[in-house]
Amino acid sequence: MIEPKTRAPSGIGLGSILVTGAGGEMGHALLAQLASLWHGKREIVAMDLKELSPDRKAHVQATYTGDISDPRLVEAIAANHDISEIWHLAALLSTRGERSPELAMQVNVMGSANMLRLAAESATRRKCPVKFLFPSTIAAYGVATLEAKRAAGTIHEGQCLEPITMYGVNKRAVEELGRYYARHYRLLNTDRMECTVDFRAIRFPGIISADTVPTGGTSDYGPEMLHCAAQGKAYACFVRPDARIPFMTMPDAVRSIMELASAPRESLSQLVYNVSAFAPSAEEIAAKVREFFPKVEITYVPTPERQQIVDSWPEDCDDSAARKDWGWKPEHDFAKAFSEYLVPKIKVRYGI
Ligand code: AKB
């Protein structure tokens, strides 16, 4: 279903911002930020598989409900709006993707290819690069064994790039497509633009939000533990106590991608960046949750398949390039994430 049917004015030459996956976890926090930044200056167009909730619709000027892998929907957006920036958040996450790998590839790769094409065609028409923000993930990394993970320790962007999940493979594929559109699009054309798509990606760790509980991911045990505890529910963790991957709070995640978006292109030495904040084991998360919710009952019932996915992801990521190129610095370390953000907000959310 498409609404509206007419091309909306896009403001003073700035063009419109398209946000895909606007109904998802990150979309929730990002729409509000984009709306306050661009209020009255730029049109924001949102797209999601499901109809957006009224509070999200309030932040945007146009909404499209449908599948990003449907080229007709993408053509309709291109016909109705002057798109100059795309925040492509829509994806099937790692656990869901592994249960339906072909569907994941369709949405995560073909849907992204549609978005990159929309960006390139819009850039060619506007004669100006279209900015493309892409949340990639630590799932883009992959090591074959737990021993290899421990030996690798904290890794930089060029290491361990053999993901074992369809989701990780899909994200790597889009990073490579982004590199092509940014640097080599139509390389045989003599009149080609030097940069057609200004592709910028962040490999996010697991994200913990006080407002939303993720579904379909493998890093979900972190947020699930906390949200269960706050609701007085017991939690059976699907990974071992010693499982370790990096995490970050949602406000830091949103701020990082907003900061990357606003960084001058010439300061960016790479297209894909790690960002890091803290990297606790599952047991360290459980202990922190118990500090604030002492009655919570947390047990460990590892699912071998999901454990294998977590064991293939790095223990932590080296984000020195992001720190150097665009000044990245997380606000929340592990202690502050709980004491200053998660616990106070989650108590309000669940009326504790
Ligand atoms: C997932 O678990 O699928 C994601 C991720 C780490 O990318 N949250």
Side-chain angles (χ1 to χ4, degrees):
M1 195 188 79
I2 297 168
E3 45 171 304
K5 294 261 182 238
T6 53
R7 192 177 184 123
S10 60
I12 28 177
L14 291 171
S16 305
I17 300 173
L18 172 64
V19 182
T20 73
E25 254 216 304
M26 187 174 274
H28 176 81
L30 196 71
L31 277 188
Q33 298 267 330
L34 287 175
S36 79
L37 185 65
W38 294 111
H39 181 72
K41 299 190 203 98
R42 273 176 107 174
E43 181 194 45
I44 301 179
V45 180
M47 184 175 176
D48 201 88
L49 194 56
K50 294 193 192 131
E51 172 108 25
L52 285 192
S53 59
D55 63 317
R56 292 189 198 206
K57 274 192 179 171
H59 292 308
V60 304
Q61 285 69 52
T63 60
Y64 289 78
T65 307
D67 181 352
I68 51 163
S69 64
D70 175 1
R72 286 165 310 172
L73 183 61
V74 181
E75 277 159 25
I77 294 175
N80 291 340
H81 305 276
D82 174 27
I83 302 295
S84 61
E85 197 166 302
I86 299 178
W87 296 65
H88 177 39
L89 313 180
L92 247 69
L93 299 186
S94 54
T95 293
R96 173 102 204 276
E98 221 38 51
R99 293 196 172 121
S100 310
E102 285 75 24
L103 176 66
M105 184 159 57
Q106 177 71 16
V107 173
N108 296 349
V109 181
M110 294 318 296
S112 301
N114 281 342
M115 288 303 142
L116 283 162
R117 180 176 170 194
L118 168 63
E121 289 177 355
S122 201
T124 307
R125 186 173 41 75
R126 304 183 101 247
K127 298 190 176 34
C128 176
V130 163
K131 223 180 248 184
F132 195 102
L133 280 305
F134 181 62
S136 189
T137 160
I138 52 162
Y141 296 112
V143 287
T145 63
L146 185 55
E147 292 66 42
K149 167 174 172 148
R150 289 192 175 137
T154 300
I155 61 172
H156 62 70
E157 288 87 348
Q159 280 178 281
C160 305
L161 290 169
E162 290 189 9
I164 68 163
T165 60
M166 178 53 106
Y167 172 67
V169 169
N170 294 167
K171 290 283 187 178
R172 276 292 297 134
V174 178
E175 289 177 6
E176 288 302 300
L177 286 170
R179 185 174 60 79
Y180 168 75
Y181 276 95
R183 295 186 178 155
H184 310 292
Y185 181 58
R186 294 193 182 275
L187 61 84
L188 297 181
N189 282 16
T190 46
D191 62 347
R192 60 183 288 276
M193 285 165 66
E194 193 166 323
C195 171
T196 312
V197 177
D198 181 359
F199 183 83
R200 303 174 181 209
I202 289 183
R203 288 197 188 131
F204 281 110
I207 296 174
I208 315 187
S209 166
D211 300 317
T212 49
V213 191
T215 48
T218 315
S219 57
D220 293 2
Y221 62 90
E224 281 173 1
M225 224 182 254
L226 175 65
H227 282 263
C228 276
Q231 295 171 86
K233 295 182 188 161
Y235 184 66
C237 182
F238 59 79
V239 294
R240 290 185 317 265
D242 68 327
R244 187 184 297 278
I245 55 168
F247 281 95
M248 170 176 286
T249 62
M250 183 61 85
D252 268 344
V254 168
R255 191 168 51 80
S256 71
I257 199 160
M258 298 280 296
E259 286 177 4
L260 176 61
S262 62
R265 178 74 254 171
E266 53 287 2
S267 69
L268 303 180
S269 62
Q270 50 199 58
L271 300 175
V272 179
Y273 287 91
N274 285 339
V275 288
S276 191
F278 45 89
S281 67
E283 180 52 22
E284 284 162 358
I285 301 176
K288 187 55 87 183
V289 168
R290 273 191 217 101
E291 248 177 73
F292 295 95
F293 303 100
K295 291 195 188 129
V296 67
E297 193 192 311
I298 296 170
T299 52
Y300 295 89
V301 188
T303 313
E305 299 74 27
R306 291 179 99 186
Q307 179 70 60
Q308 190 191 347
I309 293 176
V310 169
D311 286 346
S312 78
W313 292 348
E315 288 191 336
D316 203 357
C317 294
D318 176 346
D319 62 359
S320 50
R323 288 177 187 253
K324 180 167 165 285
D325 289 2
W326 43 278
W328 162 245
K329 190 171 184 294
E331 187 186 326
H332 298 132
D333 60 17
F334 188 42
K336 276 192 185 173
F338 280 77
S339 64
E340 292 182 10
Y341 163 63
L342 290 167
V343 173
K345 279 204 89 179
I346 227 164
K347 283 191 170 168
V348 173
R349 181 189 159 140
Y350 294 113
I352 302 167

